[in-house]
mmCIF file with all atom_site columns, all heavy atoms in Angstrom:
data_model
loop_
_atom_site.group_PDB
_atom_site.id
_atom_site.type_symbol
_atom_site.label_atom_id
_atom_site.label_alt_id
_atom_site.label_comp_id
_atom_site.label_asym_id
_atom_site.label_entity_id
_atom_site.label_seq_id
_atom_site.pdbx_PDB_ins_code
_atom_site.Cartn_x
_atom_site.Cartn_y
_atom_site.Cartn_z
_atom_site.occupancy
_atom_site.B_iso_or_equiv
_atom_site.pdbx_formal_charge
_atom_site.auth_seq_id
_atom_site.auth_comp_id
_atom_site.auth_asym_id
_atom_site.auth_atom_id
_atom_site.pdbx_PDB_model_num
ATOM 1  N N   . PHE A 1 190 ? 14.333 -5.366 13.124 1.00 55.00 ? 190 PHE A N   1
ATOM 2  C CA  . PHE A 1 190 ? 13.080 -4.608 13.350 1.00 55.00 ? 190 PHE A CA  1
ATOM 3  C C   . PHE A 1 190 ? 13.181 -3.233 12.882 1.00 55.00 ? 190 PHE A C   1
ATOM 4  O O   . PHE A 1 190 ? 12.122 -2.398 13.186 1.00 55.00 ? 190 PHE A O   1
ATOM 5  C CB  . PHE A 1 190 ? 12.683 -4.667 14.794 1.00 55.00 ? 190 PHE A CB  1
ATOM 6  C CG  . PHE A 1 190 ? 12.599 -6.136 15.113 1.00 55.00 ? 190 PHE A CG  1
ATOM 7  C CD1 . PHE A 1 190 ? 13.606 -6.701 16.106 1.00 55.00 ? 190 PHE A CD1 1
ATOM 8  C CD2 . PHE A 1 190 ? 11.595 -6.948 14.857 1.00 55.00 ? 190 PHE A CD2 1
ATOM 9  C CE1 . PHE A 1 190 ? 13.596 -8.034 16.604 1.00 55.00 ? 190 PHE A CE1 1
ATOM 10 C CE2 . PHE A 1 190 ? 11.524 -8.328 15.450 1.00 55.00 ? 190 PHE A CE2 1
ATOM 11 C CZ  . PHE A 1 190 ? 12.483 -8.712 16.190 1.00 55.00 ? 190 PHE A CZ  1
ATOM 12 N N   . THR A 1 191 ? 14.239 -2.782 12.327 1.00 83.00 ? 191 THR A N   1
ATOM 13 C CA  . THR A 1 191 ? 14.317 -1.316 11.988 1.00 83.00 ? 191 THR A CA  1
ATOM 14 C C   . THR A 1 191 ? 13.678 -1.065 10.679 1.00 83.00 ? 191 THR A C   1
ATOM 15 O O   . THR A 1 191 ? 13.114 -1.804 10.091 1.00 83.00 ? 191 THR A O   1
ATOM 16 C CB  . THR A 1 191 ? 15.794 -0.962 11.968 1.00 83.00 ? 191 THR A CB  1
ATOM 17 O OG1 . THR A 1 191 ? 16.470 -1.628 10.977 1.00 83.00 ? 191 THR A OG1 1
ATOM 18 C CG2 . THR A 1 191 ? 16.488 -1.113 13.359 1.00 83.00 ? 191 THR A CG2 1
ATOM 19 N N   . SER A 1 192 ? 13.841 0.260  10.193 1.00 95.00 ? 192 SER A N   1
ATOM 20 C CA  . SER A 1 192 ? 13.223 0.717  8.959  1.00 95.00 ? 192 SER A CA  1
ATOM 21 C C   . SER A 1 192 ? 13.901 0.020  7.737  1.00 95.00 ? 192 SER A C   1
ATOM 22 O O   . SER A 1 192 ? 15.033 -0.244 7.669  1.00 95.00 ? 192 SER A O   1
ATOM 23 C CB  . SER A 1 192 ? 13.422 2.178  8.732  1.00 95.00 ? 192 SER A CB  1
ATOM 24 O OG  . SER A 1 192 ? 13.176 2.723  7.581  1.00 95.00 ? 192 SER A OG  1
ATOM 25 N N   . PRO A 1 193 ? 12.955 -0.362 6.825  1.00 97.00 ? 193 PRO A N   1
ATOM 26 C CA  . PRO A 1 193 ? 13.595 -0.853 5.477  1.00 97.00 ? 193 PRO A CA  1
ATOM 27 C C   . PRO A 1 193 ? 14.467 0.196  4.815  1.00 97.00 ? 193 PRO A C   1
ATOM 28 O O   . PRO A 1 193 ? 15.326 -0.299 4.045  1.00 97.00 ? 193 PRO A O   1
ATOM 29 C CB  . PRO A 1 193 ? 12.259 -1.148 4.715  1.00 97.00 ? 193 PRO A CB  1
ATOM 30 C CG  . PRO A 1 193 ? 11.261 -0.358 5.455  1.00 97.00 ? 193 PRO A CG  1
ATOM 31 C CD  . PRO A 1 193 ? 11.417 -0.241 6.825  1.00 97.00 ? 193 PRO A CD  1
ATOM 32 N N   . LEU A 1 194 ? 14.341 1.354  5.062  1.00 98.00 ? 194 LEU A N   1
ATOM 33 C CA  . LEU A 1 194 ? 15.112 2.367  4.372  1.00 98.00 ? 194 LEU A CA  1
ATOM 34 C C   . LEU A 1 194 ? 16.650 2.323  4.812  1.00 98.00 ? 194 LEU A C   1
ATOM 35 O O   . LEU A 1 194 ? 17.399 2.816  4.128  1.00 98.00 ? 194 LEU A O   1
ATOM 36 C CB  . LEU A 1 194 ? 14.524 3.679  4.571  1.00 98.00 ? 194 LEU A CB  1
ATOM 37 C CG  . LEU A 1 194 ? 13.171 4.035  3.951  1.00 98.00 ? 194 LEU A CG  1
ATOM 38 C CD1 . LEU A 1 194 ? 12.622 5.328  4.379  1.00 98.00 ? 194 LEU A CD1 1
ATOM 39 C CD2 . LEU A 1 194 ? 13.288 3.982  2.413  1.00 98.00 ? 194 LEU A CD2 1
ATOM 40 N N   . THR A 1 195 ? 16.866 1.689  5.839  1.00 97.00 ? 195 THR A N   1
ATOM 41 C CA  . THR A 1 195 ? 18.323 1.366  6.277  1.00 97.00 ? 195 THR A CA  1
ATOM 42 C C   . THR A 1 195 ? 19.086 0.567  5.381  1.00 97.00 ? 195 THR A C   1
ATOM 43 O O   . THR A 1 195 ? 20.296 0.612  5.223  1.00 97.00 ? 195 THR A O   1
ATOM 44 C CB  . THR A 1 195 ? 18.435 0.844  7.753  1.00 97.00 ? 195 THR A CB  1
ATOM 45 O OG1 . THR A 1 195 ? 17.883 -0.404 7.810  1.00 97.00 ? 195 THR A OG1 1
ATOM 46 C CG2 . THR A 1 195 ? 17.703 1.785  8.682  1.00 97.00 ? 195 THR A CG2 1
#
Side-chain angles (χ1 to χ4, degrees):
F190 305 104
T191 59
S192 165
L194 294 169
T195 63

